[in-house]
Amino acid sequence: MKFFIDTANLAEIREAQDLGVLDGVTTNPSLMAKEGITGEENIRAHYKAICDSVDDNVSAEVISTKFEEMIEEGKSLAKIDDKIVVKIPMIKDGVKSIKYLSSQGIRVNCTLVFSAGQALLAAKAGASYVSPFMGRLDDISTDGVSLIQQIVHIYQNYGFETEVLAASIRHTMHLIQCAEVGADVVTCPAKVIMSLLNHPLTDKGLAQFLADHKKAKEAATAPVG
Ligand code: E4P
């Protein structure tokens, strides 16, 4: 299972990369805006800095919504670095753009996917990744993990190579549920990956081991008599 980090914050990306378990980064226009990155040159420079911080798989989203503009923007984003995966929204012109860009050897991540039918279209069009938004479905009382499971099942039925990239992951249980149903990738905030580390029995056990070691060492070095 691949772990992507869902942020445009360079410090967070570098910290996650340093842990040694990061496989990529997803961004979106809201995340870029949150970092105060605006203007074409700044945006391109920021994507380049992200690419230089990780091994591969940096999703960069187009802003255009018309076919001709989407493919021009997609081609231009792909030129920033070989690690770029162009992120295209699940709309009619988006499906056409996925087909075109994929045929040119450009990897595409189809975003804003909320149904199995949309995921099927993205795979048929040749997307490398499909991003169903689990958390946003849960937000409206719809079972996000069932959709992930359904897409994994459909892709297996037909041998689609499109990877299921579970997005909008809010907490560790989301991540574990995605692993249980066979999602290929999860993308989440850094704190979700870091939270996987936590267990009170690990902390308690380590404290006990270190205390016992210290006691034994003190006993061994204490003066006799
Ligand atoms: C996916 O690529 C999106 O950037 C992201 O996961 C959206 O998450 P949110 O619903 O927490 O904004």
Side-chain angles (χ1 to χ4, degrees):
M1 181 185 222
K2 293 180 193 166
F3 281 4
F4 290 178
I5 189 175
D6 195 32
T7 181
N9 183 284
L10 278 174
E12 276 179 30
I13 291 166
R14 287 171 184 152
E15 190 189 345
Q17 175 68 15
D18 191 49
L19 190 62
V21 298
L22 193 67
D23 300 291
V25 177
T26 52
T27 63
N28 63 41
S30 304
L31 292 170
M32 292 292 275
K34 193 172 159 198
E35 297 306 312
I37 316 291
T38 55
E40 199 188 331
E41 282 321 301
N42 290 337
I43 288 174
R44 293 180 73 81
H46 198 74
Y47 282 138
K48 182 64 186 155
I50 295 176
C51 289
D52 289 344
S53 305
V54 297
D55 298 334
D56 194 14
N57 293 307
V58 176
S59 281
E61 188 160 345
V62 300
I63 309 296
S64 320
T65 54
K66 294 277 172 264
F67 174 67
E68 284 78 10
E69 294 159 28
M70 285 171 116
I71 62 172
E72 280 321 305
E73 196 182 343
K75 283 194 277 187
S76 166
L77 286 168
K79 278 190 191 133
I80 296 173
D81 196 288
D82 286 347
K83 296 174 188 171
I84 291 284
V85 178
V86 177
K87 212 170 171 191
I88 301 273
M90 172 40 73
I91 55 176
K92 190 175 173 191
D93 283 38
V95 174
K96 287 168 64 181
S97 304
I98 294 168
K99 180 80 186 174
Y100 177 84
L101 292 169
S102 303
S103 75
Q104 300 298 300
I106 294 173
R107 291 180 294 169
V108 177
N109 171 2
C110 179
T111 190
L112 290 168
V113 166
F114 293 93
S115 75
Q118 291 178 325
L120 194 50
L121 271 178
K124 290 276 296 171
S128 297
Y129 295 102
V130 66
S131 290
F133 278 31
M134 185 173 179
R136 292 191 193 186
L137 282 170
D138 283 3
D139 289 346
I140 57 160
S141 308
T142 303
D143 186 7
V145 74
S146 294
L147 175 63
I148 308 289
Q149 188 168 28
Q150 203 181 6
I151 298 170
V152 167
H153 182 67
I154 290 170
Y155 283 7
Q156 277 171 356
N157 281 350
Y158 297 100
F160 284 120
E161 286 178 8
T162 306
E163 293 186 51
V164 181
L165 194 177
S168 188
I169 300 291
R170 304 276 166 75
H171 47 70
T172 52
M173 280 312 296
H174 271 163
L175 194 157
I176 300 299
Q177 287 173 327
C178 287
E180 282 175 341
V181 300
D184 300 289
V185 193
V186 283
T187 189
C188 53
K191 68 169 194 289
V192 176
I193 295 175
M194 297 303 176
S195 296
L196 293 176
L197 283 166
N198 300 337
H199 199 289
L201 290 179
T202 303
D203 299 340
K204 191 177 167 198
L206 182 60
Q208 185 67 56
F209 287 158
L210 296 180
D212 289 346
H213 171 76
K214 190 170 173 237
K215 234 186 284 170
K217 198 173 161 193
E218 282 166 0
T221 54
V224 183

